[in-house]
Amino acid sequence: MKKNKRIGMLVDELTSNPCKLFDSKHFCEKFDIAKSSLSEDLAIAGEMFEETGTGRIESISGVGGGIRYIPGISKEGIRELQAEMIEALSDESRDLGGGYLYTSDIMFNGSLVERMARIFVQKFYGLGANYVVTVETKGIPLAAQVAFMLNVPLVVIRREAKYSEGSTVSINYFSGSSDRIQKMSIAKRAVEPGTKAIVIDDYMRGGGSLKGIEEILHEFDVEVVGMGVAMVAVKPEKKRVENYIPILYIEGNKEGEKKTKFSANEEL
Amino acid sequence: MKKNKRIGMLVDELTSNPCKLFDSKHFCEKFDIAKSSLSEDLAIAGEMFEETGTGRIESISGVGGGIRYIPGISKEGIRELQAEMIEALSDESRDLGGGYLYTSDIMFNGSLVERMARIFVQKFYGLGANYVVTVETKGIPLAAQVAFMLNVPLVVIRREAKYSEGSTVSINYFSGSSDRIQKMSIAKRAVEPGTKAIVIDDYMRGGGSLKGIEEILHEFDVEVVGMGVAMVAVKPEKKRVENYIPILYIEGNKEGEKKTKFSANEEL
């Protein structure tokens, strides 16, 4: 096989299997090449990812080592994504009144979600998370994409305990957004005690829902090592959780305030 | 830029943006090459995709034309996926009794979901669907992946009308799986009349839920042009919908029947 095509095939297989550790033997046998040629190919692919900012290749030497592709996104890519999201959100017909905004189409747009996921993967890779956790429903596509890219299972916390989830543990928590007590429920089979999780959600106002997720995971001795949220309300300033990473900020999305304003998290 | 690296970059950008139509100018300018060189590069990438079965490149000539990558999966890839799923499902501790099986981890496994999605994209590309539709919750990651790969919006039908969905239309339908009347609700903003949809779900027994989706979409004059379901129960033989494509069949997952059996849809 020609070197050109080999590089294409290498990039295709690595990017289709993000964070999967490949034994270098796998590619040497597949391409029928020596380890030194594979190293050259990997160097070219790695350079390419670095130039475009779309990720990087990690090489782990020794027994149990191998090659792994970690998805990424360039700073320009992040700014472009944020601008696209802000433009889409600025359509005034989204304002449903009572502080509610129609955002389902944003959270269900595959291209936006794929790029949002790259931001969180870039941030959270290396924290050694065993799961990506979200609470149904709107954050599921984003959380699923982050989990896929980090090559760890997705765990979806349900609003109601379902029989098809087997034994569950439930908690009640106060949601400031809906101004009432809500319930969440997690399947006992879904998580192992003593593990680490990244929490992903579509929206946060006061952080009650994310706090609830932290608490329910705490019941299983699961530590939250990172939190990523697509859109975070500027007010209230004091949130019930810390160390969350927003992609966008939302301001003034409340009764009586005239127009909702959106701004990019420029620290990304 | 060297041809090697260029091919890698081309494959990376095409596969990260499935079914997106790129103007060939985009690549000519990015790589600073003539159209004839791009054609050569595309031929190499296309050959590579064909050899691995991971997709194909479509070239549309003329005004408004361009280049598009359509994800795919080889026959061996499908058989491998089905075997992996069957092995995972055969764990007897999944049997929750009453005909219920714990399958959340399968439907929330990113690698399995990505490959299942490729099967449906390969089947349904060309039907001109404007949306991929599912009903919450377990099928969302799969439906989101299919929608991303087809480059169309995902629409999630909710069990309860939510205020954050704006105006909604709801229907009641009979679900054989849960043996009761259930409700589903769709945001009016989510779909346009006179369009086409592909329906994706994680599980089907009698097809009541899929029939419900068909009916609620019918209210909006949206035609269902394809249905893909991860797991379909063999019994009852008579389903309430037609023309669905299963990845696996499940047999005997009912009270009194001893062991659940799984088999691959060999027509894929």
Side-chain angles (χ1 to χ4, degrees):
Chain A
M1 194 187 304
K2 274 202 176 164
K3 195 177 181 75
N4 289 334
K5 204 196 275 183
R6 229 163 55 202
I7 305 264
M9 214 176 265
L10 184 66
V11 168
D12 186 34
E13 186 155 3
L14 286 173
T15 56
S16 302
N17 296 279
C19 283
K20 175 177 167 176
L21 190 67
F22 285 98
D23 193 329
S24 56
K25 243 200 239 161
H26 167 81
F27 292 112
C28 289
E29 281 169 11
K30 184 171 177 177
F31 301 144
D32 193 18
I33 54 173
K35 226 173 161 180
S36 58
S37 303
L38 179 66
S39 295
E40 274 176 45
D41 291 4
L42 285 167
I44 293 167
E47 238 176 72
M48 181 281 285
F49 287 127
E50 209 177 300
E51 259 180 62
T52 54
T54 51
R56 61 194 172 89
I57 295 176
E58 197 180 58
S59 287
I60 297 153
S61 52
V63 179
I67 302 132
R68 173 191 284 146
Y69 162 73
I70 302 139
I73 181 168
S74 67
K75 224 161 181 92
E76 304 78 62
I78 296 174
R79 294 291 165 266
E80 216 175 275
L81 166 67
Q82 289 171 323
E84 264 182 61
M85 288 174 70
I86 290 174
E87 209 204 310
L89 285 163
S90 300
D91 168 5
E92 276 180 52
S93 77
R94 293 180 176 279
D95 195 340
L96 304 171
Y100 285 89
L101 206 65
Y102 183 77
T103 60
S104 296
D105 58 332
I106 307 276
M107 298 311 302
F108 297 160
N109 175 313
S111 164
L112 298 178
V113 162
E114 200 254 2
R115 288 176 284 159
M116 286 191 251
R118 284 175 181 268
I119 296 176
F120 293 133
V121 169
Q122 202 159 256
K123 282 275 176 197
F124 296 139
Y125 177 78
L127 297 182
N130 306 91
Y131 306 99
V132 171
V133 180
T134 193
V135 59
E136 59 185 349
T137 299
K138 259 169 26 189
I140 296 177
L142 177 56
Q145 194 64 256
V146 174
F148 169 60
M149 286 185 178
L150 286 173
N151 195 26
V152 298
L154 168 70
V155 175
V156 177
I157 297 175
R158 311 293 290 255
R159 294 287 178 194
E160 306 261 343
K162 301 272 172 192
Y163 188 71
S164 58
E165 296 283 293
S167 295
T168 55
V169 167
S170 300
I171 61 157
N172 294 310
Y173 70 99
F174 180 73
S175 160
S177 310
S178 60
D179 201 23
R180 57 175 179 176
I181 303 297
Q182 292 218 316
K183 203 178 146 177
M184 53 173 82
S185 167
I186 188 170
K188 280 191 185 173
R189 294 183 63 125
V191 286
E192 292 278 336
T195 52
K196 293 176 187 174
I198 282 162
V199 176
I200 298 288
D201 213 352
D202 61 309
Y203 177 70
M204 167 166 110
R205 204 175 76 163
S209 180
L210 286 164
K211 184 79 190 162
I213 297 177
E214 263 192 354
E215 276 169 17
I216 203 167
L217 290 173
H218 191 75
E219 294 293 316
F220 289 90
D221 190 24
V222 173
E223 186 195 351
V224 173
V225 292
M227 280 188 267
V229 188
M231 291 168 265
V232 171
V234 171
K235 290 177 197 169
E237 255 177 69
K238 189 151 173 49
K239 310 292 191 201
R240 301 184 62 200
V241 290
E242 287 173 359
N243 297 325
Y244 54 88
I245 296 178
I247 293 175
L248 294 186
Y249 291 102
I250 303 190
E251 195 165 5
N253 180 31
K254 249 170 76 180
E255 206 70 64
E257 301 188 27
K258 251 194 177 147
K259 201 172 174 278
T260 315
K261 272 186 249 163
F262 305 93
S263 54
N265 176 4
E266 284 170 4
E267 281 169 29
L268 291 175
Chain B
M1 196 188 301
K2 275 201 175 163
K3 197 180 181 77
N4 289 333
K5 204 197 273 184
R6 230 162 56 203
I7 305 263
M9 215 178 264
L10 184 67
V11 169
D12 186 33
E13 187 156 2
L14 287 173
T15 55
S16 302
N17 296 278
C19 282
K20 174 176 170 176
L21 191 67
F22 286 97
D23 192 329
S24 56
K25 243 200 241 162
H26 167 82
F27 292 113
C28 289
E29 283 170 10
K30 184 171 176 173
F31 300 145
D32 193 20
I33 54 172
K35 227 175 158 175
S36 57
S37 303
L38 179 65
S39 295
E40 276 176 45
D41 291 3
L42 285 167
I44 293 168
E47 238 176 73
M48 182 280 287
F49 286 127
E50 209 176 299
E51 259 180 61
T52 53
T54 51
R56 63 195 172 88
I57 295 175
E58 197 180 57
S59 287
I60 298 153
S61 53
V63 180
I67 303 132
R68 176 191 281 146
Y69 162 73
I70 303 137
I73 181 168
S74 66
K75 228 169 178 86
E76 304 79 63
I78 297 174
R79 294 290 165 266
E80 215 174 277
L81 167 67
Q82 290 170 323
E84 265 181 63
M85 287 174 71
I86 290 173
E87 209 205 310
L89 285 162
S90 301
D91 168 5
E92 278 180 50
S93 77
R94 293 179 177 279
D95 196 339
L96 303 171
Y100 286 89
L101 207 63
Y102 183 79
T103 59
S104 296
D105 57 332
I106 307 276
M107 297 312 299
F108 296 160
N109 176 314
S111 164
L112 298 176
V113 163
E114 199 255 3
R115 288 176 283 160
M116 286 191 250
R118 285 175 180 267
I119 295 176
F120 293 132
V121 168
Q122 202 160 256
K123 281 277 174 195
F124 297 139
Y125 177 78
L127 298 181
N130 305 92
Y131 306 99
V132 170
V133 180
T134 192
V135 61
E136 58 186 350
T137 299
K138 257 168 27 190
I140 296 178
L142 178 58
Q145 194 64 256
V146 174
F148 170 61
M149 285 184 179
L150 287 172
N151 194 25
V152 299
L154 166 71
V155 175
V156 177
I157 297 175
R158 310 293 291 254
R159 293 288 177 193
E160 306 261 344
K162 300 274 172 190
Y163 188 72
S164 59
E165 295 283 291
S167 294
T168 55
V169 167
S170 299
I171 62 157
N172 294 309
Y173 70 100
F174 181 73
S175 160
S177 309
S178 59
D179 202 23
R180 58 177 178 174
I181 303 297
Q182 294 217 313
K183 203 178 146 179
M184 51 173 84
S185 167
I186 188 170
K188 280 191 185 172
R189 294 183 64 124
V191 287
E192 292 277 335
T195 52
K196 293 176 185 172
I198 281 162
V199 176
I200 298 288
D201 213 352
D202 61 308
Y203 177 71
M204 167 165 112
R205 203 174 78 164
S209 177
L210 286 163
K211 185 81 187 160
I213 297 177
E214 262 191 356
E215 276 168 17
I216 203 167
L217 290 173
H218 191 76
E219 294 292 318
F220 289 89
D221 190 24
V222 173
E223 186 195 351
V224 174
V225 292
M227 278 188 272
V229 188
M231 292 167 262
V232 171
V234 171
K235 289 176 197 168
E237 255 178 70
K238 190 153 171 48
K239 310 290 190 202
R240 304 185 61 200
V241 290
E242 286 173 0
N243 297 325
Y244 54 88
I245 296 178
I247 294 175
L248 295 187
Y249 291 103
I250 303 190
E251 195 165 6
N253 180 30
K254 248 170 79 182
E255 207 69 66
E257 299 190 29
K258 254 202 178 141
K259 202 172 174 276
T260 315
K261 272 187 248 166
F262 306 92
S263 54
N265 175 4
E266 283 169 5
E267 281 169 28
L268 292 175

